[in-house]
Amino acid sequence: MTSEAVGDGDEVMPVSAAEQHKALAHPMRHRLLFALERPATVSGLAASLRTNKGTSPTT
């Protein structure tokens, strides 16, 4: 799988496999993906998403 440059340092990675769709469909991963549009620390992300740093989504 390759990514392509869009501009301003952004990259777009095509999502085509069922496993990729499943991973991105998880509510916490979806929230995390959008939260990562700006620089953040793990602690900052956990606070803004109102979760624990050690919490991992179950699939």
Side-chain angles (χ1 to χ4, degrees):
M1 180 174 309
T2 61
S3 60
E4 60 186 63
V6 176
D8 296 326
D10 293 336
E11 292 185 17
V12 174
M13 182 176 288
V15 176
S16 56
E19 295 84 11
Q20 293 171 312
H21 286 281
K22 182 179 177 182
L24 293 173
H26 190 282
M28 181 56 74
R29 290 183 180 143
H30 194 250
R31 291 172 57 205
L32 182 59
L33 181 64
F34 284 100
L36 288 172
E37 291 180 344
R38 58 193 176 280
T41 63
V42 172
S43 296
L45 287 169
S48 67
L49 297 174
R50 295 189 172 113
T51 190
N52 297 321
K53 292 190 296 187
T55 301
S56 62
T58 57
T59 54

